[in-house]
Structure formats: C-alpha cells, structure tokens
Amino acid sequence: MKDAHEHHEDRRAFVVGGAMLLLLGLVSLFGIMIGAVNLGFSEVLAAFGGGKNAFIVAEYRLPRVAISILAGAAFGLAGVFLQGALRNPLASPDVVGITKWAGLGAFFAGLLAPPAWSAWAIPLGVMAGALLGALALLAIGRRFGGSATALALTGVALGMFAQALIQYGMVLFPSRADQSMVWLAGSVYGSSGADVAALSLWLLLCLPVVVVAAGRLDAGGFGDDTLTSIGLAPSWLRGGLIGVSVLLTGGAVAAVGSMGFLGLLAPHAARLMVGPRSRHLVPVSALVGALALSIADLAGRVVALPNEIPAGIVAAVIGGPYLVFLLFKEKSRHA
C-alpha cells in the first residue's frame, strides 16, 4: 500500500499536471488568436463554426499550435530518457549531439536529393543522422568504458564534429545556406495539417517503447554494479533509453528543425516540480516541453512585429542562460 508520502507526491503531480494542461490550453488559445492578423476570442469561435477566418485558423494557426505541442512533448520526453541513460541532469539531445547529427542528416539529404523528393528525403535524413550519431556515441563511449561520464563527454565531442560538418557544407554550397540556417535554427512556421498527421503517427508508433522505457527509467539512476546485481545489463538499459530518445528526437527534428535546450529545460523543470520518480517525471516533462515550445513560438511572433523570430532561437535565448545556471548549481552541489 502507498504511504502518506507517496500519496502526497501523487497529489502534487496531479496538481502540477493539471496546472500545466491549463497553461498549455491558454497559450494555445493565444497562439490561435495572435499572428499577422489578430483575431478576437469571438472571431476564433466563429472560425471553428466556418466563419470568415476559418481558413486562417484551420490552415495556419491550428497546425502551428498542434505541431508545437507534439514536438515540444517529444523533445521533453527525449531529454528525460537521455538524462536517465547518462545519469546526468545536464544531458539533452542537443548537448550530446543527437540533435546536431539529425540536422546534419537533414542538411545533406536536402542537398543531395532532388527537390521533388525532399518531402520524404529530409525526414529520412534526419532519422539516419540521429541514428548514426547515437551509434557513434555508444560505440566510442563503450571504448572508454561505457560509463555515464564517458557517454556524455563523447556526445559533446560528436556534436561539435557534426556542427563543423554542417558549417563546412554551408561554405561549399552557399546557395543552400540561408534555407538551411532557418531550418537548423528550428521553427514551426509554415507547419501544415500533413506535418501534424505525420508527427502524430510517428509518436503513436513510438508510444509502446516510450511506455517500456518509462518503466525502466528509475533503474537508470543506479550505478552499473547495482544494475548488474539485480539482473539488468547496464549497456542494454542505457542503450535502450538512448535509442528511445533518438526516435523521439528524430521525429521532432524532422517536423520543426533543430530546437536547442528544450530537452534540457523540460526534464529539469519537471524534476523540480514533481520529483525524480518516473511515473510523475515522464508525463510532466512532456507537458513542460509542449508548453515551452508553445511559449517560444508565441514569443517569437510578438517581440519583433511584423517580423517573426524562429522558435528555436527564442528557446536558445532562454535555454543558454539556464544551462549556465545549472552548471553553477552542479558545481556548488559537488563543492
């Protein structure tokens, strides 16, 4: 039976989750109302009934809001699984290079594939790049012992290498640089219903492995000797968690581009609010990620009117200082 402390944690997680859902609903409503053409609440309601603004809402605003929620949740989940695999609260898909390798795959897929094939070539390039980066991370990290520290440092080095390759490609093919920079910065601008459907299908296919990984996430916090003593293979457990993170990151990057720091910020904020237990941490991390990307997109629309700032740049402006704050916090904790 659950003790009083567990009941308290469950209630707190329920309250936090409800508050996140309420905030997400409000931000989504503002995301539908605010844009190049601002709409009032009554006009939005009328648009849902087929009013004069129905095309704007259905074809532009709703897909943009939906893709922000789905991709943000995917980045949040990818971050929490990666942090569990590496036992490092500073790990995230972009910090250890998975996002950069996904972007590298997308860049060269868009460069090499004919324009008529780009609709499927770029998502395939994203997944291939993310998978290649993860395999390199596991292979090289294992050569250095396979510890969480070795994996984290290897990921940082691989991310820098992928970023250098992207920049080298832009120098060789400057005509593609402007288009690639917008995509690599991360943006939900121009998202369509087809993008929402594709990402929804991908996340639905990933759902079974997400559920399995969530059940193993608490074990990821143990040391390798402890895992071995309870009959779990550390390399398989950590490799599996990293693999799920790759699947989620690849789907999100294919939809919205390379978003920095969401996978770092969402799990850490969720952990502060509901604690480290996976049954609370996993769903709240998804909600925080969805809320963070939705807010970043909304802020990017309003701070530089009539221009728009890509959501990925807004997320980086927030996430960069937050990473520095976490570094100081970790240093003080271990001092």
Side-chain angles (χ1 to χ4, degrees):
M1 295 180 64
K2 293 182 178 180
D3 57 23
H5 179 68
E6 288 180 328
H7 279 296
H8 174 71
E9 287 186 337
D10 289 345
R11 286 196 298 270
R12 182 175 63 175
F14 180 79
V15 171
V16 169
M20 291 293 103
L21 282 173
L22 179 61
L23 285 173
L24 184 59
L26 289 174
V27 173
S28 299
L29 177 60
F30 284 123
I32 296 172
M33 295 170 60
I34 296 174
V37 178
N38 290 328
L39 303 176
F41 181 69
S42 59
E43 291 176 303
V44 171
L45 290 179
F48 283 121
K52 66 177 182 178
N53 296 304
F55 182 81
I56 294 176
V57 171
E59 297 297 324
Y60 294 101
R61 304 285 173 82
L62 274 180
R64 188 167 183 166
V65 167
I67 209 77
S68 297
I69 293 172
L70 293 171
F75 280 122
L77 290 172
V80 77
F81 290 132
L82 196 60
Q83 290 178 8
L86 301 183
R87 299 171 60 204
N88 189 335
L90 300 180
S92 70
D94 55 293
V95 173
V96 302
I98 293 176
T99 302
K100 292 182 176 66
W101 277 90
L104 177 66
F107 176 78
F108 281 102
L111 186 67
L112 299 175
W117 296 0
S118 61
W120 59 265
I122 289 179
L124 287 178
V126 167
M127 295 306 302
L131 181 60
L132 182 61
L135 291 175
L137 172 65
L138 292 173
I140 297 174
R142 189 170 297 173
R143 292 292 299 271
F144 290 98
S147 66
T149 301
L151 289 171
L153 293 176
T154 300
V156 171
L158 287 171
M160 295 174 65
F161 179 62
Q163 184 66 31
L165 289 177
I166 292 172
Q167 293 174 345
Y168 180 64
M170 290 181 178
V171 171
L172 290 180
F173 306 98
S175 62
R176 300 297 302 272
D178 291 341
Q179 178 185 356
S180 299
M181 283 299 294
V182 172
W183 193 87
L184 291 171
S187 176
V188 298
Y189 177 80
S191 298
S192 65
D195 297 324
V196 175
L199 182 55
S200 299
L201 179 60
W202 179 252
L203 295 180
L204 188 62
L205 292 174
C206 291
L207 184 59
V209 293
V210 168
V211 172
V212 173
R216 294 284 189 269
L217 184 61
D218 287 334
F222 296 134
D224 290 354
D225 292 338
T226 303
L227 290 174
T228 302
S229 68
I230 61 176
L232 292 175
S235 59
W236 282 102
L237 175 64
R238 303 197 193 286
L241 291 174
I242 291 173
V244 176
S245 179
V246 168
L247 293 175
L248 293 167
T249 300
V253 172
V256 300
S258 179
M259 293 282 180
F261 296 105
L262 288 179
L264 171 71
L265 186 150
H268 195 271
R271 197 174 288 111
L272 290 175
M273 291 187 286
V274 299
R277 293 197 175 189
S278 62
R279 70 173 185 267
H280 304 145
L281 181 62
V282 170
V284 174
S285 293
L287 288 172
V288 174
L291 180 62
L293 183 51
S294 298
I295 291 175
D297 176 49
L298 185 61
R301 291 193 228 176
V302 300
V303 298
L305 289 173
N307 300 313
E308 288 193 15
I309 300 175
I313 294 178
V314 178
V317 168
I318 298 171
Y322 190 71
L323 176 59
V324 174
F325 163 74
L326 290 182
L327 289 170
F328 278 111
K329 186 176 180 180
E330 286 296 304
K331 180 180 179 180
S332 63
R333 189 164 66 91
H334 293 291

